[in-house]
Amino acid sequence: MQPGRSSRTAMYNALFRALEGQRGSHTRLFVDPLAARFLTAPLAAVVGLAKVPGGAALVHRYIDHRWPGVRTSVVARTCLIDDTINNTLDRRTAKRWQFVALGAGFDTRPHRLTSLRQALPFEVDHPDTQTAKRARLAGAGAVARTDIRYIATDFNVDQRCPLLEDHEYDATAPTIIVWEGVTNYLNADAVDATLRWCSTVARGSILIFTYIDRNVIDDPSSYVGTHNLAKSLARSGEPLTFGIDPQQLPGFLADRGFRLLSDRGASDYRLLYYGDCARNMRGHEFYRVAVAGVERSGQSSRSTEAAHSITTLS
Ligand SMILES: C[S@@+](CC[C@H](N)C(=O)[O-])C[C@H]1O[C@@H](n2cnc3c(N)ncnc32)[C@H](O)[C@@H]1O
């Protein structure tokens, strides 16, 4: 991230979500009523252009040409994560669920998902992004919740569990942690330290996180669209720095106290939400969404990993 500036990539994700909500009521995958609030003037103008007749097709075509697959991957993964949260919250527990968004950016799930209304929400993010988000939400009125607990941290610098800083966080209550669009911008130590403290939350908790296939860092030219994407990310000060080999993911997580429940790549989750249209979508195939259960608080569980089958949640 650029010093003193909120995350550009977080803003682009908000743009893609705002644009999705403007598609026709029969075709759109979700509506995010707050997304447009977070956009700076040029990106707000893009949303404005998408409202005029023929504008949306033009805007989508331009974005998809410039960054192949990114918009559709962000939209489909938003649905996949929403559905995983909704399915998880169907489970009854004796205690109230808690919801933690790590690197929350301009994500608005606590405000827009009905299933999260009863959950206690926490957002952990870099101070520069969090300050901008809070300022933009200030005038949002009744659509925005006012009970979010905000905790500012830099994952690359401070590797202690930030939740412990909030006395309302209940370490014995089940928690859904969403870590979306973040690991690929961190260093390996920060990912490791964050996963280790995530694994200390109550058993029965769920971690939903995204990561990139590390092959895209080693061999970017083998993927469609990476040239322009890498240039844009470098300009934003948010280059791709960390990835995992999907084959290694079950062991990687087991070593850190998690059991992998599902792991889907962008081609797969786009197919799930866009149906046959997804067969013509190219780009961002290296992007993945994983769901893991907290297995044994803070302990390695490699020995038991083989005993569990990998299930698919949706
Ligand atoms: C691509 S955005 C994702 C935002 C949101 N989760 C989403 O999916 O739309 C990356 C997020 O990671 C956060 N981030 C990046 N580096 C960070 C760091 N070192 N410490 C804390 N947060 C960081 C940014 O502030 C931003 O909110």
Side-chain angles (χ1 to χ4, degrees):
M1 291 178 51
Q2 290 175 351
R5 291 188 57 181
S6 62
S7 162
R8 291 293 295 171
T9 56
M11 199 181 306
Y12 279 110
N13 287 353
L15 170 68
F16 302 150
R17 292 180 188 128
L19 290 172
E20 184 60 23
Q22 287 185 192
R23 294 173 71 210
S25 55
H26 294 298
T27 45
R28 66 188 170 210
L29 293 171
F30 58 81
V31 178
D32 183 341
L34 289 167
R37 296 191 77 83
F38 304 115
L39 307 178
T40 49
L43 295 188
V46 172
V47 174
L49 175 59
K51 285 182 184 154
V52 306
L58 199 71
V59 165
H60 291 172
R61 218 175 304 132
Y62 176 76
I63 292 173
D64 297 346
H65 175 73
R66 187 144 179 223
W67 303 298
V70 178
R71 178 185 64 86
T72 51
S73 167
V74 169
V75 166
R77 90 179 186 220
T78 300
C79 296
L80 178 61
I81 295 174
D82 287 358
D83 283 348
T84 308
I85 292 170
N86 294 338
N87 291 343
T88 303
L89 288 169
D90 271 351
R91 282 170 21 205
R92 287 188 179 282
T93 63
K95 295 203 168 192
R96 181 186 184 192
W97 278 96
Q98 300 173 109
F99 174 76
V100 177
L102 299 180
F106 302 122
D107 174 278
T108 61
R109 288 193 176 90
H111 307 278
R112 71 181 171 80
L113 291 188
T114 313
S115 63
L116 280 175
R117 263 190 209 143
Q118 301 305 320
L120 185 61
F122 297 82
E123 291 197 0
V124 179
D125 205 348
H126 193 282
D128 293 335
T129 308
Q130 197 166 77
T131 303
K133 181 180 202 176
R134 296 181 73 169
R136 296 286 174 138
L137 278 178
V143 258
R145 280 172 79 156
T146 52
D147 62 342
I148 314 263
R149 275 74 176 156
Y150 291 101
I151 304 168
T153 197
D154 183 334
F155 295 121
N156 281 336
V157 175
D158 189 354
Q159 302 187 344
R160 290 169 304 169
C161 174
L163 297 174
L164 297 179
E165 288 170 24
D166 192 301
H167 65 273
E168 291 200 64
Y169 182 76
D170 180 353
T172 67
T175 303
I176 297 181
I177 302 175
V178 172
W179 201 15
E180 180 186 10
V182 190
T183 59
N184 43 287
Y185 301 118
L186 301 181
N187 62 48
D189 285 348
V191 172
D192 192 42
T194 306
L195 284 174
R196 287 186 193 281
W197 64 248
C198 283
S199 77
T200 64
V201 303
R203 281 192 72 156
S205 297
I206 292 285
L207 169 70
I208 306 165
F209 73 103
T210 65
Y211 72 100
I212 56 172
D213 185 332
R214 62 157 300 129
N215 196 39
V216 72
I217 296 177
D218 299 339
D219 182 17
S221 60
S222 59
Y223 295 87
V224 172
T226 46
H227 182 65
N228 275 354
L229 183 64
K231 277 205 309 202
S232 298
L233 292 175
R235 263 200 307 274
S236 310
E238 299 175 64
L240 298 177
T241 49
F242 177 84
I244 305 171
D245 175 352
Q247 303 284 337
Q248 310 285 325
L249 188 66
F252 178 86
L253 287 173
D255 284 346
R256 291 158 180 83
F258 294 93
R259 176 168 60 99
L260 180 64
L261 299 173
S262 71
D263 178 23
R264 290 179 185 270
S267 308
D268 188 17
Y269 56 76
R270 278 195 297 233
L271 201 58
L272 202 58
Y273 292 99
Y274 286 100
D276 279 341
C277 298
R279 298 189 197 284
N280 299 321
M281 294 172 182
R282 293 284 173 274
H284 229 227
E285 285 82 4
F286 53 84
Y287 216 89
R288 306 188 69 84
V289 177
V291 181
V294 174
E295 187 168 69
R296 260 193 277 147
S297 286
Q299 294 171 29
S300 166
S301 56
R302 182 183 276 287
S303 56
T304 56
E305 195 272 330
H308 298 287
S309 59
I310 295 183
T311 56
T312 304
L313 285 177
S314 44

